[in-house]
């Protein structure tokens, strides 16, 4: 999946190692450079994207590893593993925040990556459970066009209505 073509275990180790090394760099002055240095050349003018790509590469490698771990498993194993991954990533985010590391999409730092994994693992799990429920109850290959479109509309409303309601109540649904 990348130029290095790492296996699942190596991807996880490389992703975690890269993210820790990148976070150490940020804590030793990299964050100050990314956020406040003058833009005098090509690199400094694009420093968020260039340096943030290290965080996104770490996220990619961790995602490859997590995806390989759930691919050959049963539905219950996958659901349990995704809940565990979301809980561990959420705990990592909390630990980072407790240590004073702010979540930053702009820098794609370790707290941002762990937050992204925790939220996306949970959303992926919920979406797959909802899809599985629809597949078991509707038998989608046998449903005529009209009811199928209605089911897809209801499925979309199931995700968009709670978001719209929270937004109407003033809830902020993003963190950056």
């Amino acid at each position: 999946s990348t130029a290095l073509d790492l296996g699942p275990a190596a991807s996880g180790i490389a992703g975690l190692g890269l993210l820790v090394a990148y976070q150490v760099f940020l804590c030793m002055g990299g964050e100050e450079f990314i956020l406040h240095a003058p833009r005098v050349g090509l690199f400094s003018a694009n420093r968020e994207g260039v340096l943030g790509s290290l965080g996104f590469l770490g996220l990619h490698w961790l995602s490859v590893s997590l995806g390989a771990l759930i691919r050959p498993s049963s539905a219950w194993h996958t659901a349990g593993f995704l809940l565990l991954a979301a809980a561990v990533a959420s705990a990592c985010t909390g630990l980072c925040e407790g240590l004073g590391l702010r979540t930053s999409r702009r820098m794609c730092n370790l707290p941002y990556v762990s937050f992204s994994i925790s939220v996306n693992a949970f959303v992926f799990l919920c979406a797959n459970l909802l899809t599985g429920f629809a597949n078991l109850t509707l038998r989608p290959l046998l449903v005529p066009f009209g009811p199928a479109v209605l089911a897809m509309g209801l499925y979309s409303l199931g995700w968009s209505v709670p978001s719209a309601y929270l937004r109407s109540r003033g809830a902020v649904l993003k963190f950056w």
Side-chain angles (χ1 to χ4, degrees):
S1 64
T2 61
L4 295 179
D5 196 24
L6 301 173
S11 289
I13 293 167
L16 187 59
L18 177 61
L19 287 167
V20 168
Y22 179 56
Q23 188 61 52
V24 168
F25 162 76
L26 291 173
C27 290
M28 296 182 74
E31 179 176 357
E32 180 67 26
F33 171 72
I34 289 174
L35 297 178
H36 304 294
R39 299 182 186 274
V40 294
L42 184 63
F43 178 76
S44 65
N46 296 291
R47 60 188 177 257
E48 294 97 341
V50 173
L51 295 172
S53 66
L54 295 173
F56 284 110
L57 179 60
L59 174 61
H60 168 73
W61 279 338
L62 285 177
S63 300
V64 166
S65 183
L66 290 173
L69 289 172
I70 65 170
R71 191 171 301 136
S73 14
S74 69
W76 289 108
H77 180 266
T78 299
F81 183 79
L82 287 173
L83 278 175
L84 178 64
V88 168
S90 183
C92 181
T93 304
L95 177 65
C96 289
E97 292 284 336
L99 293 173
L101 304 174
R102 297 181 336 220
T103 300
S104 173
R105 180 184 56 88
R106 185 174 175 190
M107 292 183 289
C108 192
N109 60 358
L110 181 60
Y112 174 78
V113 170
S114 61
F115 176 79
S116 296
I117 290 173
S118 68
V119 169
N120 288 324
F122 182 72
V123 169
F124 181 77
L125 175 62
C126 291
N128 277 299
L129 290 174
L130 189 55
T131 300
F133 175 76
N135 287 339
L136 290 174
T137 57
L138 296 177
R139 300 180 60 175
L141 295 177
L142 304 175
V143 175
F145 178 76
V149 170
L150 178 64
M152 289 186 336
L154 291 173
Y155 183 84
S156 297
L157 284 173
W159 285 103
S160 59
V161 167
S163 295
Y165 175 76
L166 290 171
R167 181 72 176 129
S168 73
R169 295 289 187 192
V172 177
L173 301 177
K174 61 182 182 179
F175 60 91
W176 60 88

